[in-house]
Every structure is written in C-alpha cells, then in structure tokens.
Amino acid sequence: MKTLCKVQRSAVFFAVLGCYWASAQDLKKRANEEIVTPREISNDLRDIGSADTSSSSSKGKGGKGGSSSSKSKSGKGGKGKGSSKSIKSSKSGSKEKSKSCKKSKGKGSASDKPSKGKGGKGKGESSKSSSKSGKGGSYSSSASKSGIGKGKGGGSFKSSTGCLDDEPSTAPSTSPSMPPTVSSAPSEFPSSTPVGVPTPAGTSPPSHTCGVDPLTRRDMIFNILAPVVTPAAEINDVGSSANLAFEWLVEDDGYFICPDDPKLIQRYVMGKIYFQMNGDDWLQCSRPSTSNDPTPTCDVPQNQGYEGVEWLDAGNECDWAFVKCDSNKCITHIEVDENLVTGTLVNEIDWLKDLQVYTMDGDPNQIAGTIPTQFGNLTDLRILDLDENALTGTIPDEIFVTATGLEQLDLDSNQLTGTISTLIGGLT
C-alpha cells in the first residue's frame, strides 16, 4: 500500500513538473514573440510554482468552496479529489492562444457557469477583490489573473483575457508581423479617384481664338468686307472670286485671322487676287491642296527678294512668294511675272494702300478685262507693268490724276483702245 502511494505521489509530482515545464516553455515563446516585461514573466512563473488559485497573490481566509464572482477575493482550497487547470494566453485583446496545460485527478469539472461544490478550508486574500467568497459559488471573471486551485469539487478558472498579466503596459501588446514598407514605384492601379475629374459637357462655355464663336466671327468679317470693300451680292455669289476668298478666309485659312485684325482686308484682297486670277493654274507657287499641277512647286528667282512659300499658306501673306512688305507688314510689292496668270484684275486693289510696285507681265500671262480705275487711288504707286497680256478698254484717267508719283507705266502688247489722256503731263 505504501509503495502504491509512493508511485501515485511520484506520478503527481512528474505531472506537475511536466505542466510547469510546458508553461515555462510557453512563456519563453511569448517572450520572444511579444514585448513582455520581466516583472510579468516573474509573476507568472511564481503563480504557476505556488499553484495559487487566487486571481492574484492571496493569503486571506476563504469559506467553503473557495469560489467567488468577478473581482472578488478567492481562498485557497484544500486538497480534494479533483482539480483542473487551464491556461489560455491572450494579451490586450489578442486572439492568439497558447498551449493549454490541464491535469485532472478524480472527478473535477471546469466551467464558467455557477456550480456547487464542497471545498476545503483555506486562507486566501486578493489584492484586487471587492467581496469575500461565500459557500458553493464558482469563479467567473472577465478581467483578472488566473491561478491554479485545488479543492474538492472546485471548478477551474478560465479568463477571457488569458492567463497572462492584464496590467496595462506602456509597450505595445503585440509587434507587427512585417515592418511597413514604402515603395516609390507607382502602383499598377490608381489608389484613389483621379483629382482632375473631367468637367461635363455644357457646364462652361468653350474658349475661342478670337473670343467669339465661329458663327459670330463669320458674321463680323462679312460685315467688315461688305459693302465697303466688296458688294455683299458678290460675296454671296457662290463660286465667284469674292465668295471663294471669303469662304477661304473664314473656313479654310489656317492663319485664322480675327475680325479685329488690322490686316484683315489686306489678307482678303490677296485671297481674291489668287482666286480671280486663277491661282490654281499658276506655274509656280499655287496652293498645293487645290493646285491643278499634280506636283506643284514654288521656285522663285533668287536674290530678288521675292522668295517665299506658296500662296494661301497659313503663314502671314508677307511670307508668300512674289510679295514684299514693309516693316509694318503692309504689302508694297506684288510681282507675278510669266507665271500663267489669267483672269481679271481686282477692283479692291486700292485697299493695298501702301502698294508701290505691281507687275504681272510677260508670256504666258494672259490677263483679260479692263484696267480698274482704283489703281488711280494708290498714291504711292511707282510702277505699273502689265505688258504682254490681253487687256482691253482704255487707260483710266484716274491713274494720271492721283498717282502723281508714277514712274513707270508699261502697257504694251495688250488690246487697249482709245486715246492717251493729256493728264499724263502732270506726272512728276
């Protein structure tokens, strides 16, 4: 019988020792994974070693059953047939669980529900208690320290915060599993809604180059040209030179001149010269988009100051070939000689008020019609050279009256009629 008792005591000893070792290993693991203060580890080891059933170190006097409610004093139960121990690790609300160590002998039950049982007499006192335990109650707590109780019919204690010290710590309860990373590389997808959200159509008026919508710009240019520069009927006559020049100016011209541009009329007159004198048939410098030459060129004699781009180019008209301008971009010279120029001379020529030289002579030019009287309004005109064409009619008297600075008048090889005015003697 003594031998059997010794064996049983040895078994109990080794069981307790095994549980102590498992708990120590659990605390060691937690010390590596979490930030645990030395005091917490020391207290936990001391609690396990002393097999205390109180919520904290206790030496008070408890009644039978050794049980209490939340935040109450707990006594130390006497020896009995059954006891259990449950350790559940969870710190600061963490859901991680540690290994549990349970040992039981005889008839013991573990429950958070109230139960009745007889416990032995003992002494116990809790530092965090508000009342003494009575007879037959079980222990239930939501925030207190766990212990190991021994007593007949005693229930085990399972705390919702685990079997570690719940005292607040200045250090974080858990460490992040991975350090935060910051990447300078752009993400594959945008992380947020783009800041620059497109404005729905119609919420704001569109911007225009000239500050007005295209239709208003068209009307404004028309009202500038008609009837002062060209009669409205001519501009509205579809297919006429005036109509073609107007439509080019307001619809097709890449220069996109505005109604308030002081060179508006000058550009219109140059366009009308091109269309009225069949510029698409010219040998050189016709507009590529409408030229009748499949491979139009713009080869102009060098070193005479008439080099430039084809007519109706989107650049300034002063950059067109056969044209010269002064420093104010006012046209002073137009010389389109021997270039298959046909059609008739434009009446709007006097709107080029600074014109000094106008020559369109030489075969194969074949300009027909009469010489407009408006040439007489060019007070700065010095040279008018229209020989070798197909002009008809008389020489206007106005040329001799107004263009008093005329130096050269070359009209031979045409089909002119009538007499030369005696006003020619007034030329200086």
Side-chain angles (χ1 to χ4, degrees):
M1 185 66 180
K2 293 182 179 180
T3 304
L4 179 59
C5 292
K6 290 182 180 181
V7 171
Q8 289 178 346
R9 283 198 296 270
S10 300
V12 171
F13 173 78
F14 284 108
V16 172
L17 182 62
C19 183
Y20 180 89
W21 182 85
S23 299
Q25 291 299 314
D26 180 41
L27 292 175
K28 181 179 180 181
K29 180 179 179 180
R30 286 184 53 250
N32 292 331
E33 294 178 351
E34 302 178 358
I35 300 176
V36 182
T37 61
R39 183 172 61 83
E40 291 177 323
I41 298 175
S42 175
N43 289 341
D44 287 336
L45 292 176
R46 184 178 67 252
D47 290 343
I48 294 171
S50 62
D52 194 349
T53 59
S54 64
S55 297
S56 62
S57 299
S58 61
K59 293 183 180 179
K61 184 176 182 180
K64 292 185 179 180
S67 64
S68 68
S69 62
S70 175
K71 297 184 180 180
S72 64
K73 296 181 181 180
S74 172
K76 181 184 291 186
K79 295 182 180 180
K81 291 185 179 180
S83 64
S84 65
K85 170 185 167 185
S86 173
I87 298 176
K88 182 177 180 181
S89 174
S90 173
K91 186 173 180 63
S92 300
S94 173
K95 295 182 179 180
E96 295 183 2
K97 298 180 179 180
S98 66
K99 296 180 181 179
S100 63
C101 176
K102 296 181 179 181
K103 73 186 184 80
S104 62
K105 181 178 180 182
K107 298 179 180 180
S109 64
S111 173
D112 288 336
K113 296 181 181 180
S115 62
K116 295 181 179 181
K118 293 182 179 180
K121 295 182 179 181
K123 297 180 181 180
E125 181 178 352
S126 172
S127 61
K128 290 187 178 181
S129 63
S130 59
S131 63
K132 296 183 179 181
S133 63
K135 182 179 180 181
S138 67
Y139 188 96
S140 174
S141 172
S142 61
S144 64
K145 299 176 185 178
S146 65
I148 302 173
K150 294 182 180 180
K152 185 176 181 180
S156 67
F157 164 44
K158 182 178 180 182
S159 171
S160 64
T161 57
C163 54
L164 295 180
D165 196 337
D166 279 325
E167 292 182 3
S169 171
T170 57
S173 58
T174 58
S175 301
S177 58
M178 290 292 290
T181 59
V182 179
S183 174
S184 60
S187 60
E188 183 177 358
F189 298 101
S191 58
S192 59
T193 304
V195 177
V197 180
T199 304
T203 57
S204 61
S207 58
H208 301 288
T209 303
C210 299
V212 295
D213 61 87
L215 183 59
T216 301
R217 171 178 172 267
R218 180 187 179 91
D219 291 342
M220 292 175 69
I221 293 177
F222 180 88
N223 293 331
I224 292 171
L225 300 178
V228 178
V229 181
T230 302
E234 287 190 36
I235 296 177
N236 289 327
D237 184 12
V238 178
S240 67
S241 59
N243 176 259
L244 293 173
F246 174 76
E247 293 296 334
W248 162 76
L249 190 67
V250 299
E251 299 293 342
D252 302 329
D253 186 11
Y255 190 78
F256 205 86
I257 197 166
C258 292
D260 59 351
D261 194 313
K263 298 297 188 294
L264 172 66
I265 296 176
Q266 174 176 280
R267 193 167 182 87
Y268 164 75
V269 171
M270 293 296 287
K272 192 170 188 288
I273 291 174
Y274 181 86
F275 287 109
Q276 188 161 322
M277 307 188 81
N278 301 315
D280 286 344
D281 294 331
W282 292 356
L283 300 178
Q284 298 291 333
C285 303
S286 59
R287 181 172 60 170
S289 61
T290 57
S291 177
N292 292 323
D293 189 337
T295 56
T297 57
C298 193
D299 296 329
V300 180
Q302 302 296 309
N303 303 321
Q304 295 183 17
Y306 291 101
E307 302 88 350
V309 297
E310 62 274 358
W311 280 48
L312 306 188
D313 180 76
N316 189 278
E317 58 273 14
C318 292
D319 298 327
W320 298 354
F322 314 125
V323 177
K324 288 182 181 179
C325 295
D326 61 16
S327 59
N328 295 321
K329 297 292 183 179
C330 296
I331 294 176
T332 58
H333 293 62
I334 298 176
E335 297 193 28
V336 190
D337 298 332
E338 303 174 357
N339 199 36
L340 195 57
V341 179
T342 59
T344 59
L345 298 169
V346 300
N347 294 331
E348 294 84 358
I349 193 67
D350 57 342
W351 284 96
L352 305 179
K353 299 183 181 298
D354 296 293
L355 189 62
Q356 300 174 21
V357 177
Y358 188 90
T359 71
M360 289 191 175
D361 66 343
D363 185 60
N365 286 3
Q366 286 294 304
I367 301 172
T370 62
I371 300 173
T373 59
Q374 286 83 354
F375 275 100
N377 297 329
L378 297 172
T379 57
D380 292 337
L381 186 63
R382 295 184 296 105
I383 298 174
L384 179 59
D385 188 355
L386 297 172
D387 68 291
E388 298 185 38
N389 279 288
L391 295 171
T392 60
T394 62
I395 301 174
D397 289 346
E398 290 81 0
I399 293 177
F400 306 116
V401 174
T402 308
T404 56
L406 190 62
E407 300 174 2
Q408 179 181 333
L409 180 60
D410 190 354
L411 299 174
D412 68 281
S413 303
N414 279 286
Q415 301 174 21
L416 297 173
T417 60
T419 61
I420 297 176
S421 173
T422 57
L423 297 175
I424 194 172
L427 297 177
T428 59

